[in-house]
Amino acid sequence: MYSQVNYKEPAPIMNKENPFESMMERFDTAANKLGLDEGIYNYLKSPVKQVITSVPIIMDDGSIDVFEGYRVIHNDILGPSKGGIRYAPDVSLDEMKALAAWMTWKCAIVNIPFGGAKGGIKCDPAKLSLHELERLTRRFTANLLDVFGPERDIPAPDMNTNEQTMAWIMDTYSMHSKRTVTGVVTGKPMILGGSQGRREATGRGVMIVSTAALQKLGIKSNDAVAVVQGFGNVGSVAAQLLYEQGVKVIGLSDVNGAIYNSKGFNLPEVIDYVEKNKSLAKFPNAEVISNEELLELECDLLVPAAKEDQIRSKNAGRLKCKIIAEGANGPTTAKADPILQEKGILVIPDILANAGGVTVSYFEWVQDRMGFFWTLNRVNTRLERMMHEAFVNVYKTAAKYDVPLRIGAYILAIDKVARTLKIRGIYA
Ligand code: GLU
């Protein structure tokens, strides 16, 4: 009936530090500082659920391809688990475990009633047609019907997934539930119960904590110089909003390359150019530089908003920035942390810096449940307040324990989840 089965194993990505080990190294340091009880330590390091599911679809040419899908729920002590779904060739269970744990800590830091989860499908989305992507998403959702749910586990967009992906998940889940369940995913299109400001939320959060950090160092936004790596949903918005704050953005990059202009880029012009040309690599009046050179530019603020493992033990010593605001998840390896600390670079860790996305996801979920939608102004004002509070709390915790902001953020989060666990107790 079908043409020959065709299973393609994506090429392995080499030289990647194990993200779960990277996460655990920081977790261990924070747990030690906190004097965490051993039983609670063991509880919190183990994900509550790890699902690996085989996702077969019929390709456009009639053949069958089988993809591997994952959903890891790290923890649901604070509430339903929350976290994105990514489509990429290097998706692995270890990566999902690390990203799911980061979601637990992220939600605790910004004080929203969610646990942490992450999911993904090992695939190369660039090689799939829109219809293949739709079938892949719907079958993945169908396989996870008993995991997802507005009170159980709520996916959102992540790398290579978007509003359309969320609409397919919502529709598939709703078809099986025999009613429209908007609250089962966030990051939906506005027309389907999405929230104002959700698309820009992660980049806006990066801008909010970056300007707070600049202020701490006594640098005025108008005098600040920034470099942004990555021009996707996070990097482009962060760069645009920093530019609006008067920050001079001298370096930018996307998957095709990096560009530099000592006078600073006009961000609306760059965004316009990228919309038309799909890439910023050939933007006029800019010097083309390598990704390594971009990261090593002299600046006040470096925003790695591309992917994992960009700042490593190999290049950390060459960085010439004063602040790093981690727009991506896990852009700095655990081995690079002490080098950055030694250099006196203030690192705003991913679990704080990019928490604006999940914060507005929470607003979206609340609005879906109320059936009452907020203005953009209300969303942005509340986001600003919550990101500021989180920044101040992380700063205070780091000062109290005399540790870098990253460990301060972990301590704050682990302490909150551990205290909640103690009150709930262990069901037996
Ligand atoms: N994928 C985003 C993150 O890593 C958003 C998750 C969400 O909104 O649930 O934070």
Side-chain angles (χ1 to χ4, degrees), residues 82-84 103 106 118 154 156-158 186 198 329 354 357-358 361:
K82 189 83 193 80
M103 288 308 303
K106 221 184 270 190
K118 202 76 166 199
I154 309 140
D158 201 84
T186 60
R198 173 62 185 85
N329 287 312
N354 69 35
V358 75
S361 273

Side-chain angles (χ1 to χ4, degrees), residues 399-410:
K400 181 175 160 196
Y401 288 86
D402 192 22
V403 290
L405 291 189
R406 185 182 319 277
I407 301 303
Y410 272 80

Side-chain angles (χ1 to χ4, degrees), residues 71 81-86 99 102-103 106-107 112 114 117-118 154-159 161 186-187 198 202 327-329 350 354-362:
R71 185 71 176 170
S81 51
K82 189 83 193 80
I85 307 260
R86 61 171 58 179
L99 289 161
W102 280 327
M103 288 308 303
K106 221 184 270 190
C107 293
I112 57 180
F114 287 143
K118 202 76 166 199
I154 309 140
D158 201 84
M159 222 178 259
T161 57
T186 60
R198 173 62 185 85
T202 312
N329 287 312
D350 45 8
N354 69 35
V358 75
T359 302
V360 176
S361 273
Y362 167 58

